[in-house]
Amino acid sequence: MSSMPLNVALFIAQPAAMPCLNALLQQGRLAGVVLPPEQDRFLQQLEQGLNHQQVPCVRLSYGDEQQVVETLQAWESDLIVSFGFSGDVPVPFLEATTLGYYNLLFADPAQYRGILPLYWQIRDGAIQGQVVLQKVALQEAVATHDGANIAAFCEYDIAPLDTYKLVENKAANTAAQCVSDFVQHVVSGKVIESLPSHGEGRGCAMPDEQALTVNFTAMGARQIVDMARAGNPVFNGCVIRLGQTPLSLLQATVVNYPTYGVPPGTICHSGEPDGVIVATVDGAVRLDVIANMDGIFSAGAFAERFQISAGMAFS
């Protein structure tokens, strides 16, 4: 990195910012950290760690944004990068630094928008993720979901077996690289042009119980597999129901297995060495890992312990 002074203030509300924070610390470009008013375990531990390392840190108080602006100026901040600060951006923050305020997004907003883009990308079977740095302009201080003002982006691969946490770690490390590349771009004196991205992506809301429940009469094997890994571990995978009993499905695999025309949701095989195989609308899926209130089991062990047999059906 160039020795030219360029100090980045990080607004951090989520753990995915940590690789970026560490990278800026190593590069000597971290001006300081702004934390949201909300308290949770992560934010408490982060604040304690920053104070221990003597990293400048301030907690935002809604209605008193001017105090944060003065702090940013005292830190000699040149630009702001925000991780997970939702809602409208106070206008004073947009004018607090010479280079502006940037949101770090974990998807192209023209494809996915909302609080859980990683979950829905995995569930949709995406094979590539994207980290986007989007500048918030003065006229767009209200939270925007379109693809305007994209200053930088980086891509990473999503493997077929990646769970939510694995993808989140990939996205976080890619975000650190994206911010570092952007800073180097600015330091080199290159003109920052808005990258093309148009449209308004699908909403990525927090899934409710219905959205987390497998519908065997409508979902294919691949959809069920992706649904389970998207929710593993943050939502305990997805929900399957045997009679009135809900179970958590944490891992599944698409398999080539004869179903002989039985209705989707019917257990075609239960026992070693293949475990539990269930018919779907387009083939069959093997249930690999199941959890209930008694613990986490391989599907084969679960079937033996709770006497699950072929011919029974998930609702």
Side-chain angles (χ1 to χ4, degrees):
M1 296 290 289
S2 167
S3 60
M4 171 184 172
L6 195 154
N7 297 320
V8 181
L10 288 181
F11 282 44
I12 298 179
Q14 57 186 202
M18 295 308 296
C20 184
L21 184 153
N22 292 330
L24 290 173
L25 269 175
Q26 292 173 3
Q27 296 161 8
R29 296 191 181 279
L30 181 65
V33 176
V34 177
L35 302 176
E38 297 79 17
Q39 289 275 12
D40 61 27
R41 185 175 181 180
F42 161 71
L43 292 173
Q44 290 174 347
Q45 291 178 343
L46 174 59
E47 187 171 21
Q48 292 172 1
L50 293 172
N51 290 332
H52 179 72
Q53 297 180 62
Q54 297 183 326
V55 175
C57 174
V58 65
R59 189 171 286 276
L60 171 64
S61 177
Y62 292 131
D64 194 16
E65 288 82 5
Q66 190 57 41
Q67 179 182 355
V68 174
V69 169
E70 293 172 1
T71 301
L72 291 169
Q73 293 171 346
W75 291 345
E76 299 182 343
S77 308
D78 296 302
L79 66 89
I80 297 167
V81 175
S82 171
F83 284 79
F85 272 65
S86 59
D88 300 348
V89 181
V91 171
F93 291 167
L94 305 182
E95 302 174 328
T97 63
T98 55
L99 296 175
Y101 184 107
Y102 294 81
N103 278 325
L104 198 291
L105 309 176
F106 289 107
D108 184 339
Q111 299 179 25
Y112 294 90
R113 57 180 175 81
I115 61 174
L116 279 177
L118 297 181
Y119 171 83
W120 292 102
Q121 287 176 80
I122 301 167
R123 184 161 165 171
D124 286 347
I127 60 174
Q128 194 168 60
Q130 190 176 66
V131 170
V132 172
L133 198 60
Q134 183 182 42
K135 185 174 184 180
V136 182
L138 187 60
Q139 66 272 21
E140 297 161 349
V142 175
T144 179
H145 300 306
D146 62 25
N149 299 329
I150 293 180
F153 73 93
C154 292
E155 295 178 326
Y156 59 93
D157 293 333
I158 300 176
L161 297 179
D162 281 353
T163 62
Y164 182 92
K165 278 298 181 183
L166 284 169
V167 174
E168 185 179 54
N169 289 337
K170 287 183 178 181
N173 288 317
T174 304
Q177 186 62 53
C178 185
V179 173
S180 294
D181 290 349
F182 176 74
V183 168
Q184 181 61 61
H185 198 83
V186 174
V187 167
S188 300
K190 298 178 181 178
V191 176
I192 305 299
E193 298 180 354
S194 182
L195 300 170
S197 179
H198 305 288
E200 184 170 311
R202 66 169 292 175
C204 297
M206 184 77 68
D208 57 18
E209 182 179 357
Q210 182 178 356
L212 288 170
T213 301
V214 173
N215 181 355
F216 281 96
T217 64
M219 299 179 67
R222 186 74 244 176
Q223 287 177 287
I224 296 170
V225 169
D226 291 337
M227 188 176 179
R229 68 189 182 96
N232 183 4
V234 289
F235 299 115
N236 291 321
C238 57
V239 179
I240 53 177
R241 293 184 180 274
L242 193 60
Q244 298 301 314
T245 304
L247 306 169
S248 295
L249 176 63
L250 293 165
Q251 180 179 304
T253 303
V254 178
V255 292
N256 183 14
Y257 195 88
T259 62
Y260 303 107
V262 298
T266 303
I267 297 175
C268 302
H269 175 85
S270 177
E272 298 301 338
D274 297 316
V276 177
I277 297 177
V278 183
T280 65
V281 295
D282 62 353
V285 63
R286 186 183 69 219
L287 310 185
D288 297 324
V289 182
I290 294 175
N292 65 3
M293 295 181 64
D294 297 312
I296 301 174
F297 305 85
S298 70
F302 183 88
E304 181 178 350
R305 171 64 181 80
F306 296 98
Q307 299 181 340
I308 308 302
S309 58
M312 299 175 70
F314 291 97
S315 58

